[in-house]
Amino acid sequence: QVQLVESGGGLVQAGGSLRLSCAASGSISRINLTGWYRQIPGKQRELVATVTSGGRTTYADSVKGRFTISGDNAENTVYLQMNSLKPEDTAVYYCNAHLVITTGPYQYSYWGQGTQVTVSS
């Protein structure tokens, strides 16, 4: 019914940049909040950044000043621009959206399948 598809992951050298995309499709009435999370094997998934439909953003301290989250409400797409990447940014990055489907009225949380980001030193 609803799909989140991430893209843009890959291998990059330390100091480089990547841009992740998360496209939501399906029976969507409204997306209220979208976030990027990341997970390293054996560790808990951690929040990286969020953006509301109104454009309000939050960031983990570890990525402030390096990562920028932005959204295109018309396209139901959210981006994560990652600059000055460090080896410790290596993880699987997941997109998460809190949205209302067309049959409404409740909000549900959906996850993408994840995209690998690897930063070499």
Side-chain angles (χ1 to χ4, degrees):
Q1 198 170 17
V2 173
Q3 268 194 317
L4 299 183
V5 178
E6 299 108 330
S7 60
L11 172 65
V12 64
Q13 285 189 330
S17 298
L18 283 174
R19 189 192 196 206
L20 304 184
S21 300
C22 173
S25 62
S27 304
I28 300 169
S29 175
R30 183 179 71 254
I31 300 177
N32 292 324
L33 176 72
T34 307
W36 285 97
Y37 292 73
R38 63 188 182 187
Q39 190 169 23
I40 301 168
K43 293 196 173 183
Q44 277 195 322
R45 193 170 294 187
E46 65 172 5
L47 176 66
V48 175
T50 64
V51 61
T52 68
S53 57
R56 183 172 296 181
T57 59
T58 62
Y59 296 93
D61 288 342
S62 59
V63 306
K64 279 181 183 175
R66 301 188 297 122
F67 291 11
T68 303
I69 189 170
S70 61
D72 183 335
N73 292 337
E75 298 294 329
N76 285 339
T77 300
V78 172
Y79 305 96
L80 184 69
Q81 178 67 43
M82 306 186 293
N83 299 328
S84 302
L85 282 160
K86 303 175 181 180
E88 50 263 44
D89 294 318
T90 296
V92 178
Y93 283 70
Y94 296 90
C95 177
N96 171 256
H98 294 262
L99 56 88
V100 178
I101 59 176
T102 52
T103 53
Y106 302 109
Q107 178 175 273
Y108 296 95
S109 176
Y110 291 86
W111 290 90
Q113 81 287 353
T115 185
Q116 177 70 46
V117 171
T118 303
V119 184
S120 63
S121 56

